[in-house]
Amino acid sequence: MESRLLCVTLGLMITTEPGNAQSSHSVSEENHRFVIFMLQVRGFPAAGIIMVAAPLLLLLLVPFAPSSGAQLPTQGQAKELPIATNGQIFPWDRMRLPKTISPLHYDLTIHPNLTTLNFTGVVRIQLDVLEDTSTIILHAKQMQISGALLLAPDGVKPLQVLEYPRFHQLSLLSDSVLTKGRKYEVQLVFAANLSDSFHGFYKSSYRTSTGEVRVLASTQFEATFARGAFPCFDEPAFKANFTVRIIREPRHIAVSNMPKVKTVELPGGLLEDHFDTTVKMSTYLLAYIVSDFQSVSKTTQHGVKITVYAVREKIDQTAFALDAAVKLLDFYDDYFDIPYPLPKQDLAAIPDFQSGAMENWGLTTYRETGLLFDPEKSSVSDKQGIAKVIAHELAHQWFGNLVTMEWWNDLWLNEGFAKFMEFISLDITYPELHVDDFFLGKCFEAMEVDSLSSSHPVSTPVENPTQIQEMFDDVSYDKGACILNMLRDFLTPEAFEIGIIRYLKRYSYQNTVNSHLWDSLTNICNSDDLDKGRMEHKEFCSKRNLSSKWYSGDELDVKAIMDTWTLQEGFPLVTVEVRGREVWLSQERFLKTDDPSLIDGFLWQIPLTYMTSASNTIHRFLLKTKRDVLYLPEEVDWVKFNVDMSGYYMVHYAGEGWNSIIRLLQHNHTALTSNDRASLIHDIFQLVSIGKVRLDTALELSLYLSRETEVMAVTQGFGELVPLYKLMEKRDMAALENQMKGYIVDLFRELIDRQKWTDSGSVSERVLRSYLLLFACVRNYAPCVTKATQLFNKWKDSDGNMSLPVDITMAVFVIGARTPEGWDFLFEKYRHSLQMSVKSRMKVAMAVSPLQDKLKWMMEQSLHGEVMKTQDLPDVVVSVSKNPRGYKLAWDFLRTHWHTLIKKFDLGSHSVSYMVTGVTNQYSTREMMDEVRNFFSSLTEETGSEMRCIQQTYETIEDNIRWMDTNLPLLQAWLNKHSHRAVHEDL
């Protein structure tokens, strides 16, 4: 019955049209083959195929022409037939590849020409056939395929090639069936241009100190760009081994994931480097570079050779990265209890690089600012940033490379873990960097996005390349890290460590989904894996087993808890109300919206922590229901939930709760940790935006900041107060705007006055100094402006040779860039500087200048890419958009160059979404909302209309409008009252 129904269904696909009778025989043969292919790839039994195909021969004698209206049944829904570039029907209609064939090994030879800026190549792929088939579907994008052969046991046969650009797919059609269980090889000859974007196999260049431009070629394959460099099965679950050969000129070197085995001389003076075969890995992790880089090397305690590559004139800035990589790879080797499986780990600083870095196995690649450190010119923030980037990429060698997510919907299993491990690893290897002081900021950044209805679950379905690119966002990275930190705190660090080591060992060289991780973190002390583990883990479990249980309640269900954090978007707001000895708890979704229906239907299992005025003990409670009640042993003056903000949730203190906390902060703020103080500042101002707390209450809490000295609490105070006047800068309300600016300066005046214009102190003290002096100078605080002007003039008079303290350079440059002469001098120094961190500070200073012609010119130069790198354009555009003299210029630039930008940076990329949200997120008028909506609604899906960042933009502007409408009168009244109170106190 099934065969007859399928025969009829497929028969409906054959249409006749007048004028298409020529070549009917060959077309009919192709379509006979197509019918068989379609049945094979849909898993139809071979016997059934013969039954179906024979009756169809009569139908296939009818002249055939593909019709755009032809329909193909797919999962019960009609769908347009995919048509290949030659007009034939393409035998696969889905974006994901079929599972009929799996690659085992790629033999890849690549020859880039750095003069003509193109490349040629040959790839031979060994295949494992999992189902009988006559078609091989794989990926290729924007390349010419000039030969395709099947290397079968019975000889070499040509394959017909069909291309379907919409899904970046190739179909290789065989005359004979590839039999299940057998191995075959295909060989493809291909050619393409080096990409002029930042992905695939792309061109990069740099300028030497003498002005010579030199070209190199490098790869960036994550997420879906390996297909632009060679034909491949470009999905993470299709893991294989790779053997790479690269043809180059003698003046260049080539590097790849594995060490070079030998170099062969070729006719014409060319050389061919042969690299060792990789371990089994996904296509997005393959990498190769052809350049004239120099290198420095060291060996880890475990015998792994670490090499850092950079352009010749910057190789002296690689020492810190080399030492950090050695130290961190040794740390991970020990922490994960799994030896790093490759003989070497390279780190390469690429002059043109879109993201921060990439974890290619054995050849990690970086922006130059993410790897190069000059002890004389780089800041402690630079050092901290570089250490975090290296820690992130090396963590990926285990989380992501050794164990890889099954599909991009679970990208967070890679990125959330790598972000989380930055802090775990650096806390131990570089304690002096105080990275723990800054982890909180990651959770606040994630909550900013996650509080919008356009947010997405940590694990969310994605299909096309744009959707995949959009997954590389604050939710996957920062929220992923924050919920892992919450789970670690809940399970205990020791239990968490045992569980993730089990996860890595159990799934090495495999692909995973969420549930594999939760299973590995469940019953960690009842595992066969423990017998093979480290002694301290066995001791931990034996101690825990002596006590009844190390958590209360039923058997801990990690999956049930964590599914509530990964499979639904958003995060909870926990409302706490103390009534005598009772603490009433309730939870709801925290959402910035005026539609209450969007809050319903969300429930989390929340690992609550709390402490009280009566005890420093941290108490724990798992809130599984919408409401619950806790009982305290005695009445208390105050409670603080989410201790150190180890949990990914906000807290609202109802009744007298906020007042009791405000009193505590005003009289004894150090009774709480700086993390607790920062989280209180964050939560109370965020609660104003949803109407849970009045603005004047939040401002009363902020008054305690005049006595605050810790970096996280101070910067969070700025983070909540500064945006209030930034909204006003884009409206005509100078009086209130200046009143607000004056309040903030007054609040931190004593702390600003205490700052020395030197590089002394701890990392956190130095970061705080840079922040405070920059703020003071931007806000025209007279002592700061005077000092910075003097220093800039001295530096300028010395032609930039005078050594400025690193921590204060930003403040000095910002003041200097306010005049045309100062701006031009800075730009000349920017052009010729080889110190990447100095260039970064100069770039920011130039972008916050009030000189509008300079701002416009700077954006245009960044787009052009010769003097200012195009990779820096998103930062430049967003910096200009925050400038009260530049925000209209940035918005006009974004609209004017939109099509160029999405081609260069790619739809869905973090760079594009950063520009969209960064340029628009301080608008707060209905007129600007209409202007923004008019532009984005004019786009098509191909030019970005479906991107999530556009919805985020709409929501953010609406939230700003609501905030201003509700709170401006309150703000005005409070500032008036406060200034009157301050004057009275002075008298």
Side-chain angles (χ1 to χ4, degrees):
M1 183 67 180
E2 189 179 13
S3 300
R4 294 183 62 183
L5 282 172
L6 225 81
C7 178
V8 171
T9 307
L10 286 166
L12 294 175
M13 291 159 46
I14 312 301
T15 62
T16 57
E17 291 185 23
N20 280 296
Q22 69 270 30
S23 304
S24 63
H25 180 66
S26 60
V27 172
S28 298
E29 284 180 347
E30 283 300 325
N31 282 283
H32 178 214
R33 232 188 283 158
F34 167 70
V35 172
I36 294 173
F37 297 155
M38 290 306 297
L39 294 169
Q40 287 170 336
V41 296
R42 302 251 183 247
F44 206 76
I49 290 172
I50 296 167
M51 291 170 62
V52 172
L56 277 171
L57 288 175
L58 290 171
L59 287 168
L60 290 169
L61 294 174
V62 180
F64 172 83
S67 162
S68 61
Q71 300 295 313
L72 181 72
T74 305
Q75 296 171 350
Q77 289 190 325
K79 187 175 178 180
E80 281 190 8
L81 279 175
I83 305 299
T85 51
N86 67 352
Q88 290 179 220
I89 295 174
F90 191 81
W92 187 247
D93 65 345
R94 301 179 195 177
M95 197 162 285
R96 298 280 297 274
L97 298 180
K99 301 270 196 304
T100 49
I101 282 179
S102 184
L104 298 172
H105 180 265
Y106 293 82
D107 211 313
L108 176 63
T109 302
I110 293 276
H111 179 199
N113 187 321
L114 299 190
T115 305
T116 59
L117 303 181
N118 55 21
F119 62 94
T120 55
V122 181
V123 65
R124 202 163 74 194
I125 312 173
Q126 186 183 7
L127 305 171
D128 185 16
V129 179
L130 306 177
E131 298 291 341
D132 286 0
T133 185
S134 299
T135 185
I136 301 163
I137 309 291
L138 69 166
H139 289 112
K141 182 182 179 185
Q142 294 177 344
M143 63 175 57
Q144 300 149 333
I145 309 295
S146 55
L149 299 173
L150 177 68
L151 312 178
D154 54 346
V156 178
K157 300 175 183 178
L159 294 166
Q160 186 189 355
V161 180
L162 297 180
E163 296 180 54
Y164 188 50
R166 184 183 168 205
F167 289 170
H168 310 150
Q169 288 174 355
L170 293 180
S171 174
L172 310 179
L173 311 181
S174 169
D175 287 329
S176 56
V177 173
L178 309 184
T179 308
K180 177 181 177 179
R182 296 182 68 175
K183 308 287 189 289
Y184 297 83
E185 285 190 345
V186 294
Q187 179 175 292
L188 297 159
V189 179
F190 58 92
N193 293 323
L194 286 171
S195 171
D196 60 359
S197 66
F198 299 99
H199 40 255
F201 193 21
Y202 70 94
K203 181 201 90 164
S204 176
S205 65
Y206 68 95
R207 193 182 295 269
T208 67
S209 56
T210 60
E212 180 192 354
V213 175
R214 296 191 180 176
V215 176
L216 60 131
S218 184
T219 58
Q220 169 60 39
F221 291 164
E222 191 178 37
T224 59
F225 302 115
R227 64 193 66 176
F230 65 102
C232 57
F233 295 78
D234 198 15
E235 294 180 7
F238 287 111
K239 289 191 171 186
N241 304 97
F242 298 81
T243 304
V244 176
R245 297 183 184 87
I246 298 176
I247 299 170
R248 60 176 172 87
E249 296 177 58
R251 66 195 173 105
H252 293 129
I253 63 163
V255 289
S256 187
N257 304 75
M258 296 297 287
K260 185 169 64 177
V261 176
K262 63 179 179 178
T263 299
V264 177
E265 292 187 18
L266 299 179
L270 294 173
L271 300 174
E272 184 179 73
D273 291 330
H274 293 224
F275 296 91
D276 209 347
T277 301
T278 70
V279 293
K280 189 179 176 186
M281 66 185 196
S282 305
T283 48
Y284 78 87
L285 294 170
L286 188 67
Y288 36 87
I289 304 168
V290 178
S291 69
D292 63 349
F293 286 169
Q294 301 285 299
S295 66
V296 292
S297 300
K298 278 188 177 180
T299 302
T300 70
Q301 292 177 4
H302 294 84
V304 179
K305 184 180 180 183
I306 307 286
T307 304
V308 181
Y309 290 88
V311 303
R312 180 189 296 272
E313 291 175 314
K314 297 174 185 174
I315 197 68
D316 61 346
Q317 298 176 51
T318 57
F320 175 68
L322 183 62
D323 289 342
V326 168
K327 195 182 279 194
L328 284 160
L329 201 72
D330 274 332
F331 168 80
Y332 286 135
D333 225 309
D334 295 334
Y335 183 88
F336 294 134
D337 199 29
I338 300 172
Y340 175 73
L342 309 187
K344 61 95 171 174
Q345 172 62 242
D346 298 337
L347 301 87
I350 311 297
D352 298 279
F353 202 83
Q354 182 172 340
S355 60
M358 177 61 207
E359 66 264 25
N360 318 298
W361 213 344
L363 174 54
T364 50
T365 47
Y366 302 77
R367 270 195 185 208
E368 289 184 324
T369 50
L371 202 64
L372 304 180
F373 179 82
D374 182 335
E376 301 299 316
K377 301 286 181 77
S378 300
S379 69
V380 290
S381 292
D382 297 324
K383 182 183 250 188
Q384 193 183 67
I386 289 166
K388 283 166 68 177
V389 172
I390 295 171
H392 184 102
E393 303 314 322
L394 296 187
H396 270 311
Q397 309 301 299
W398 286 264
F399 279 103
N401 299 7
L402 183 67
V403 180
T404 313
M405 75 269 136
E406 177 80 24
W407 180 244
W408 300 106
N409 62 306
D410 281 329
L411 173 69
W412 85 278
L413 288 173
N414 284 18
E415 298 300 350
F417 255 111
K419 176 61 68 177
F420 172 70
M421 289 306 302
E422 291 175 26
F423 294 89
I424 298 297
S425 61
L426 291 174
D427 191 40
I428 294 169
T429 55
Y430 286 93
E432 70 276 12
L433 290 180
H434 296 294
V435 291
D436 266 3
D437 286 352
F438 303 92
F439 183 76
L440 219 56
K442 294 287 123 190
C443 304
F444 295 153
E445 286 170 26
M447 285 175 164
E448 187 70 26
V449 176
D450 214 16
S451 63
L452 304 175
S453 61
S454 53
S455 186
H456 63 89
V458 167
S459 179
T460 196
V462 289
E463 196 72 11
N464 64 50
T466 299
Q467 293 168 344
I468 292 167
Q469 284 286 88
E470 286 186 311
M471 288 297 286
F472 291 81
D473 67 357
D474 288 344
V475 173
S476 294
Y477 283 71
D478 296 341
K479 180 178 179 178
C482 293
I483 62 174
L484 287 171
N485 183 60
M486 176 173 66
L487 182 61
R488 177 177 183 259
D489 181 70
F490 183 57
L491 295 179
T492 72
E494 298 86 352
F496 183 82
E497 185 179 320
I498 294 168
I500 62 171
I501 290 170
R502 183 205 287 189
Y503 169 76
L504 289 170
K505 288 183 175 179
R506 190 179 282 180
Y507 299 106
S508 291
Y509 304 103
Q510 297 177 57
N511 296 83
T512 58
V513 296
N514 265 353
S515 57
H516 293 138
L517 177 60
W518 310 142
D519 290 346
S520 300
L521 284 160
T522 302
N523 296 332
I524 54 109
C525 290
N526 301 329
S527 166
D528 295 338
D529 304 328
L530 199 62
D531 295 334
K532 308 166 196 168
R534 296 208 292 261
M535 182 57 66
E536 64 264 32
H537 292 163
K538 295 175 187 174
E539 289 173 0
F540 167 80
C541 284
S542 65
K543 286 177 185 173
R544 290 299 180 187
N545 287 336
L546 292 174
S547 60
S548 57
K549 272 184 181 172
W550 52 276
Y551 50 84
S552 60
D554 302 326
E555 189 64 39
L556 194 66
D557 189 341
V558 174
K559 183 177 185 300
I561 296 170
M562 296 310 293
D563 278 353
T564 70
W565 296 95
T566 58
L567 302 183
Q568 61 184 352
E569 69 272 25
F571 60 90
L573 168 64
V574 176
T575 297
V576 175
E577 185 171 2
V578 179
R579 301 178 185 178
R581 288 176 48 210
E582 295 179 346
V583 182
W584 290 53
L585 304 170
S586 64
Q587 62 161 295
E588 63 188 281
R589 183 182 176 188
F590 182 94
L591 191 64
K592 292 179 179 177
T593 180
D594 52 3
D595 183 355
S597 67
L598 295 174
I599 298 172
D600 297 337
F602 288 85
L603 185 69
W604 286 265
Q605 293 197 26
I606 310 172
L608 296 178
T609 54
Y610 64 97
M611 56 187 291
T612 72
S613 57
S615 165
N616 285 329
T617 303
I618 298 175
H619 304 275
R620 299 176 183 275
F621 178 72
L622 186 62
L623 180 63
K624 296 182 179 182
T625 53
K626 207 80 171 169
R627 289 177 180 78
D628 212 328
V629 180
L630 289 174
Y631 296 93
L632 302 175
E634 58 189 304
E635 291 194 15
V636 296
D637 295 330
W638 53 265
V639 295
K640 168 64 174 75
F641 273 73
N642 203 358
V643 178
D644 280 335
M645 199 170 161
S646 56
Y648 185 72
Y649 58 93
M650 285 192 205
V651 183
H652 172 43
Y653 299 93
E656 280 296 301
W658 278 114
N659 289 335
S660 64
I661 282 170
I662 290 169
R663 283 194 297 274
L664 173 67
L665 290 174
Q666 287 173 343
H667 296 106
N668 184 22
H669 68 278
T670 55
L672 299 173
T673 65
S674 62
N675 272 8
D676 275 329
R677 302 195 300 268
S679 71
L680 288 169
I681 297 163
H682 172 266
D683 287 5
I684 197 168
F685 277 94
Q686 294 304 310
L687 288 165
V688 170
S689 68
I690 63 166
K692 293 278 186 183
V693 173
R694 283 172 55 94
L695 176 61
D696 43 10
T697 305
L699 290 167
E700 286 294 325
L701 182 143
S702 76
L703 287 169
Y704 106 88
L705 285 165
S706 63
R707 292 184 299 284
E708 184 58 82
T709 58
E710 297 291 332
V711 63
M712 199 61 231
V714 170
T715 54
Q716 196 56 41
F718 279 111
E720 300 299 339
L721 294 169
V722 168
L724 306 191
Y725 75 69
K726 295 305 287 183
L727 293 177
M728 297 175 213
E729 283 181 343
K730 294 163 183 62
R731 291 179 166 214
D732 185 17
M733 46 190 348
L736 183 58
E737 172 194 325
N738 289 328
Q739 210 175 342
M740 185 67 203
K741 290 174 178 176
Y743 168 66
I744 302 172
V745 171
D746 285 342
L747 196 60
F748 293 104
R749 185 189 303 271
E750 284 188 30
L751 192 57
I752 292 167
D753 289 343
R754 288 206 298 271
Q755 300 307 309
K756 297 175 182 173
W757 291 66
T758 65
D759 286 338
S760 60
S762 69
V763 168
S764 293
E765 287 167 343
R766 293 180 63 183
V767 169
L768 184 60
R769 174 186 301 125
S770 297
Y771 196 104
L772 287 166
L773 293 181
L774 175 61
F775 170 79
C777 282
V778 169
R779 288 282 52 82
N780 298 315
Y781 181 51
C784 184
V785 173
T786 302
K787 181 76 170 174
T789 303
Q790 291 170 353
L791 286 169
F792 184 81
N793 290 336
K794 283 184 183 177
W795 180 69
K796 184 170 174 283
D797 291 344
S798 74
D799 196 30
N801 293 317
M802 184 182 106
S803 180
L804 288 169
V806 176
D807 295 349
I808 67 163
T809 51
M810 197 60 162
V812 172
F813 290 162
V814 162
I815 293 301
R818 288 181 169 180
T819 66
E821 304 76 31
W823 199 99
D824 290 341
F825 182 77
L826 259 185
F827 179 70
E828 277 307 302
K829 292 300 158 192
Y830 173 90
R831 280 182 62 183
H832 296 107
S833 175
L834 292 172
Q835 276 81 28
M836 301 313 299
S837 55
V838 175
K839 285 174 81 93
S840 293
R841 290 196 287 279
M842 289 176 171
K843 179 188 68 185
V844 172
M846 290 187 289
V848 299
S849 168
L851 306 170
Q852 290 180 310
D853 57 329
K854 302 291 190 186
L855 300 177
K856 192 173 180 183
W857 184 84
M858 192 177 173
M859 290 189 290
E860 288 164 353
Q861 286 301 310
S862 299
L863 182 62
H864 192 51
E866 279 198 17
V867 182
M868 305 189 87
K869 287 283 189 185
T870 305
Q871 67 177 16
D872 296 328
L873 178 61
D875 285 330
V876 171
V877 171
V878 172
S879 293
V880 171
S881 79
K882 305 302 180 199
N883 184 335
R885 301 295 300 275
Y887 71 93
K888 288 179 180 174
L889 300 176
W891 171 236
D892 289 343
F893 182 89
L894 185 70
R895 288 185 292 179
T896 302
H897 299 286
W898 178 259
H899 296 285
T900 305
L901 294 173
I902 60 173
K903 184 179 179 186
K904 185 72 177 177
F905 293 105
D906 214 57
L907 272 185
S909 69
H910 182 264
S911 299
V912 170
S913 64
Y914 176 59
M915 284 187 282
V916 169
T917 56
V919 167
T920 60
N921 65 10
Q922 291 176 352
Y923 297 155
S924 64
T925 64
R926 191 59 61 191
E927 294 75 24
M928 280 309 301
M929 180 71 201
D930 292 342
E931 200 172 297
V932 168
R933 197 181 287 278
N934 286 341
F935 172 68
F936 288 123
S937 63
S938 71
L939 303 177
T940 64
E941 186 173 351
E942 290 71 29
T943 56
S945 66
E946 300 300 308
M947 287 193 299
R948 185 183 291 116
C949 62
I950 293 174
Q951 290 307 123
Q952 290 171 341
T953 290
Y954 294 160
E955 285 189 66
T956 300
I957 298 174
E958 289 285 5
D959 179 51
N960 291 344
I961 293 170
R962 276 196 308 274
W963 195 99
M964 296 292 264
D965 289 348
T966 304
N967 292 303
L968 276 183
L970 279 170
L971 180 61
Q972 181 74 74
W974 189 87
L975 287 172
N976 290 342
K977 178 181 165 188
H978 172 72
S979 59
H980 177 74
R981 189 165 56 189
V983 168
H984 184 71
E985 286 171 1
D986 289 343
L987 293 173

